[in-house]
């Protein structure tokens, strides 16, 4: 008989094992939460590398509000890979990320937080790399400190950026300023 393929039980077990490993890997990638805050707002993008037949490499600037501290916003710029891999979401993004956070109104803490709590988290590769923005408090100076970095399960990146937000009175009517140290657990 032509076209008939006979498989041994050993090959069948191997195929099932490979399929199970792929399913587990995809499941692990999906199990990681995408963000600690709402999705950031895209402010603008600029092309950095022209590609003829596929999307260009770009720099994208995003804005987000701190989910636990009213009156603070952060802006960050990330490179976005173009090409077909980038278009399909398969490219691993580089770790060059810049960050600037500012007081945009009266600062009000919504709840207590730990030093280094996540403000925002985003995948930077199909499986294992993610970018994180974390927050801390310089108690002595009453300054919120934000840091952005990227990491991998196997190998991290030393590339990072830090921004600080001194907590100041906002407007003529505000007399008292909250102390970030009162909200650190």
């Amino acid at each position: 008989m032509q076209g008939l393929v006979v498989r041994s039980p050993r090959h069948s077990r191997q195929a099932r094992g490979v399929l199970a490993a792929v399913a587990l890997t995809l499941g692990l990638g999906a199990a990681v939460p995408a963000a600690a805050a709402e999705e950031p707002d895209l402010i603008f993008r600029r092309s950095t590398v022209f590609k003829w037949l596929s999307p260009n490499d770009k720099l994208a600037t995003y804005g987000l509000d701190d989910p636990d501290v009213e009156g603070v916003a952060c802006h960050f710029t990330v490179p976005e890979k173009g090409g077909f891999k980038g278009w399909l979401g398969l490219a691993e993004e580089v770790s060059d990320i810049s960050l600037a956070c500012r007081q945009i109104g009266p600062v009000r803490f919504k709840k207590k937080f730990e030093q280094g709590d996540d403000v925002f988290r985003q995948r930077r590769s199909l499986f294992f790399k993610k970018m994180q923005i974390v927050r801390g408090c310089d108690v002595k100076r009453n300054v919120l400190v934000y840091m952005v970095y990227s990491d991998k399960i196997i190998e991290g990146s030393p590339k990072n950026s830090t921004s600080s937000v001194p907590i100041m009175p906002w407007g003529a009517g505000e007399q008292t300023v909250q102390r970030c140290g009162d909200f650190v657990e």
Side-chain angles (χ1 to χ4, degrees):
M1 246 194 231
Q2 248 182 338
L4 179 64
V5 177
V6 178
R7 297 194 190 273
S8 70
R10 185 176 71 101
H11 287 107
S12 180
R13 279 194 302 267
Q14 285 176 339
R16 283 195 306 265
V18 169
L19 287 174
V22 169
L24 178 63
T25 303
L26 290 175
L28 286 176
V32 175
E38 292 182 19
E39 285 300 309
D41 302 317
L42 174 65
I43 308 300
F44 64 92
R45 280 189 178 102
R46 294 293 299 206
S47 291
T48 58
V49 176
F50 176 76
K51 304 211 183 253
W52 280 99
L53 299 174
S54 60
N56 294 343
D57 289 354
K58 296 178 173 74
L59 287 174
T61 299
Y62 294 89
L64 66 98
D65 296 316
D66 187 320
D68 297 329
V69 182
E70 187 178 312
V72 175
C74 294
H75 293 88
F76 60 94
T77 299
V78 294
E80 294 180 344
K81 285 279 191 186
F84 291 113
K85 281 186 178 180
W87 181 56
L88 294 171
L90 301 174
E92 181 173 318
E93 301 289 354
V94 295
S95 300
D96 301 323
I97 306 161
S98 65
L99 174 72
C101 299
R102 301 290 184 265
Q103 181 175 352
I104 59 167
V107 172
R108 302 279 182 260
F109 294 91
K110 297 177 183 177
K111 64 180 187 176
K112 290 191 177 265
F113 62 91
E114 292 183 20
Q115 297 283 29
D117 265 358
D118 280 351
V119 174
F120 178 73
R121 220 177 11 226
Q122 181 181 59
R123 274 184 355 163
R124 299 291 290 159
S125 74
L126 188 57
F127 296 113
F128 302 114
K129 189 175 188 180
K130 63 182 178 290
M131 173 195 77
Q132 298 178 75
I133 298 175
V134 295
R135 172 194 340 97
C137 168
D138 177 344
V139 176
K140 179 179 177 182
R141 295 169 186 82
N142 198 31
V143 173
L144 289 168
V145 180
Y146 294 83
M147 178 178 63
V148 64
Y149 68 98
S150 66
D151 66 357
K152 282 183 167 180
I153 291 177
I154 306 297
E155 176 184 318
S157 170
K159 296 181 181 181
N160 62 76
S161 181
T162 303
S163 185
S164 59
V165 179
I167 302 172
M168 309 290 280
W170 193 266
E174 187 174 30
Q175 300 299 320
T176 60
V177 174
Q178 288 189 323
R179 309 267 323 152
C180 64
D182 296 340
F183 293 88
V184 175
E185 290 182 334

